[in-house]
Amino acid sequence: MWNRMSFRLSWLLCFVLLGACGDVTKSNGEFNRVSYSLYTTYLVDESSLTDVSLLIGYDQRINTSLTVSGASETEEPFKLLHKISPDASINVFEDGFDVPDMTLKVTSPGEYTLETTKGDDVFDRIKLNFDVPASLDPIVWVRAEGAEEFTKSGSNTDVSVEVGDQVTFLPVPVDASGERLLGDLETEISLDNPGLAVAVENVHGVYEQRVWSSSMPVSLIFVEAGSLVVTLKDVVNNVETNVNFTVSVPAS
């Protein structure tokens, strides 16, 4: 029986980092009036939102903007509305000057039609596919003790590190064919031998009044030598994967 120590990772949209990392997948609607896009913290081979599947079970943010054609057909894009069928959860975010963005959450895989309406008329629409993940493909980043930067591990399942090294994870949901699903997810992390590693608080700013920090995204520092299995689990969709670490003592 594993002695588990659990942490929660929440992978949120971070558009301030778009110039440095992540990916945007987008498509224009069928009437070429609205552009629909989704940001991911990982890269996506396909460039069209209609050629990929989105992850079910979580709120997925869809950002929208008018195309040149759409801008010529409405002077009040902030009054456009969205609806989705079959029935799913939709929350709209108005920015006051452009087409409202939204989050979508579906609980069953399949094809959904997202419509943007102008009054009683369909202004534009797009068909989106949603799927359940078959597994998680973890991207493992390691920072050697004393190093300035993290480097990506050559393996996502078996990783050799030393005491003092730091590690963090980016779990990517994939379907049965190994294709990446798009969207945010929350991952529970557990360690079979928690004495070998400790979680690190991320310090974002130090002030006289307080220290601004957060525990997410989770990173670990190895404190003892041995073998450690880290399990990443998407609790909502009940899929998980293991990363096996061999922790050694640095050579003197």
Side-chain angles (χ1 to χ4, degrees):
M1 175 68 69
W2 283 3
N3 178 16
R4 291 179 177 269
M5 176 173 59
S6 296
F7 305 95
R8 194 169 180 81
L9 296 181
S10 180
W11 305 103
L12 304 177
L13 298 175
C14 187
F15 289 97
V16 295
L17 298 178
L18 282 179
C21 61
D23 206 350
V24 176
T25 307
K26 61 183 180 179
S27 291
N28 290 347
E30 294 180 15
F31 305 146
N32 197 35
R33 294 169 176 162
V34 177
S35 176
Y36 304 87
S37 65
L38 185 149
Y39 170 72
T40 52
T41 53
Y42 46 88
L43 301 178
V44 180
D45 289 336
E46 300 293 341
S47 60
S48 175
L49 196 57
T50 57
D51 292 334
V52 296
S53 293
L54 281 60
L55 181 68
I56 74 168
Y58 298 96
D59 287 324
Q60 306 301 350
R61 179 152 183 159
I62 305 296
N63 291 284
T64 55
S65 60
L66 289 176
T67 64
V68 173
S69 176
S72 68
E73 298 191 38
T74 180
E75 296 181 352
E76 299 178 311
F78 53 89
K79 290 187 177 181
L80 297 174
L81 302 176
H82 304 295
K83 62 180 180 180
I84 188 170
S85 59
D87 185 41
S89 172
I90 180 170
N91 292 303
V92 176
F93 303 95
E94 299 180 4
D95 55 24
F97 60 89
D98 199 356
V99 185
D101 299 330
M102 77 207 83
T103 60
L104 304 175
K105 182 179 180 180
V106 309
T107 56
S108 299
E111 183 181 81
Y112 289 75
T113 300
L114 174 62
E115 291 185 339
T116 300
T117 60
K118 180 182 180 182
D120 295 330
D121 299 325
V122 177
F123 187 75
D124 213 338
R125 66 182 173 219
I126 187 173
K127 294 187 183 298
L128 300 173
N129 293 303
F130 286 81
D131 203 357
V132 62
S135 62
L136 300 176
D137 183 20
I139 297 172
V140 182
W141 286 93
V142 179
R143 184 184 69 85
E145 183 179 12
E148 295 184 356
E149 297 182 354
F150 283 84
T151 59
K152 191 181 299 184
S153 170
S155 172
N156 59 2
T157 55
D158 298 285
V159 183
S160 296
V161 293
E162 295 182 343
V163 171
D165 290 356
Q166 185 177 5
V167 65
T168 190
F169 309 89
L170 176 61
V172 179
V174 296
D175 63 17
S177 300
E179 297 295 326
R180 292 182 169 186
L181 302 179
L182 275 63
D184 293 327
L185 76 157
E186 294 178 350
T187 309
E188 183 182 85
I189 293 185
S190 58
L191 284 62
D192 74 329
N193 193 353
L196 267 62
V198 296
V200 179
E201 185 77 0
N202 303 303
V203 176
H204 306 295
V206 181
Y207 310 92
E208 184 171 356
Q209 298 93 335
R210 61 166 293 186
V211 174
W212 176 37
S213 66
S214 67
S215 59
M216 297 182 293
V218 165
S219 65
L220 305 173
I221 287 184
F222 300 97
V223 295
E224 290 188 16
S227 297
L228 174 67
V229 178
V230 175
T231 300
L232 310 173
K233 184 173 184 179
D234 173 357
V235 180
V236 171
N237 294 302
N238 196 31
V239 293
E240 65 180 41
T241 189
N242 292 331
V243 182
N244 304 303
F245 288 95
T246 300
V247 188
S248 60
V249 177
S252 56

